Amino acid sequence: MTSSIPLLQPADCALLLIDQQAGLAFGVGSIDRQVMLNDTIALARTAAVFKLPVIVSTSASKVYSGPLMPSIQAALPGSQSIERRNMNLWEDETARGAVLRTQRRRLLGSGLLTEACASFPVLSALSEDFEVFVVGDACGWNNDRQPRFSIAKNGSGRCENDIVDPSIARTSTRLDPPRYIRRGAGDR
């Protein structure tokens, strides 16, 4: 059976890490925070290994949200976060411009809190004919009921972290086994 959505190709994709900040993580109720952080680190490492452009954006980092979580920053050495004033990354010219400069039409998205900070740019990108895949296990909602009602209904694809790497790598028999993905206690 042929899928109408081709598998992810590194040359087609960019990663958006939106508001992955400790102050916002305190509000997450849909997933264990450490599991979510580990999944986000794994996603960042996957993007780094496959040389995907990564757009990192934060908001209110000097007020209450704090900077990008240090362990995510460590997985993306040299990346600079784009500080926004508004909730929707797509409405910030610097952040949106960074996405457009990648010239990638398939976006992988991860964000906190998903109800707004991830959902709003997903809806905006979809309205401009981007394909968007929300990496659900690298996102966090305020409560455990929210995931059923927001992202799944907005027209984006939804995937889990364990799908991103195999889809991009196209093999489970790499000669250079990736050490970048393992999630666990060492990834705090």
Side-chain angles (χ1 to χ4, degrees), residues 64-88:
Y64 59 87
S65 298
L68 178 67
M69 288 188 256
S71 52
I72 297 171
Q73 181 68 60
L76 297 166
S79 67
Q80 295 292 323
S81 182
I82 299 168
E83 179 73 11
R84 303 181 328 278
R85 297 187 101 179
N86 52 20
M87 208 175 295
N88 186 350

Side-chain angles (χ1 to χ4, degrees), residues 1 11 24 33 43 55 84 90 100 123 132-133 148-149 160 170 183:
M1 181 171 156
L24 294 173
R33 291 180 198 108
L43 181 61
I55 292 84
R84 303 181 328 278
W90 213 256
L100 296 177
L123 292 169
V132 185
F133 297 85
R148 294 182 292 231
F149 300 109
E160 299 296 323
R170 292 293 196 286
R183 298 186 290 259

Side-chain angles (χ1 to χ4, degrees), residues 34-178:
Q34 187 62 54
V35 170
M36 181 193 64
L37 176 60
N38 293 343
D39 289 343
T40 305
I41 292 165
L43 181 61
R45 289 175 177 169
T46 299
V49 166
F50 289 102
K51 297 178 176 41
L52 301 184
V54 179
I55 292 84
V56 178
S57 186
T58 53
S59 62
S61 62
K62 295 193 181 355
V63 182
Y64 59 87
S65 298
L68 178 67
M69 288 188 256
S71 52
I72 297 171
Q73 181 68 60
L76 297 166
S79 67
Q80 295 292 323
S81 182
I82 299 168
E83 179 73 11
R84 303 181 328 278
R85 297 187 101 179
N86 52 20
M87 208 175 295
N88 186 350
L89 174 143
W90 213 256
E91 292 175 347
D92 181 275
E93 287 303 316
T94 303
R96 184 174 173 274
V99 175
L100 296 177
R101 281 191 299 281
T102 70
Q103 299 183 347
R104 310 287 174 100
R105 301 299 297 178
R106 296 182 117 192
L107 305 177
L108 302 171
S110 163
L112 302 177
L113 291 162
T114 308
E115 295 89 337
C117 300
S119 294
F120 295 169
V122 165
L123 292 169
S124 296
L126 287 168
S127 76
E128 293 186 24
D129 296 322
F130 281 79
E131 283 184 87
V132 185
F133 297 85
V134 176
V135 185
D137 58 354
C139 292
W141 287 263
N142 277 327
N143 62 61
D144 63 353
R145 295 180 310 277
Q146 198 66 34
R148 294 182 292 231
F149 300 109
S150 58
I151 294 293
K153 305 241 188 283
N154 72 16
S156 70
R158 185 176 186 281
C159 63
E160 299 296 323
N161 213 334
D162 294 334
I163 298 303
V164 174
D165 178 62
S167 180
I168 289 174
R170 292 293 196 286
T171 182
S172 59
T173 57
R174 290 177 55 128
L175 295 176
D176 56 336

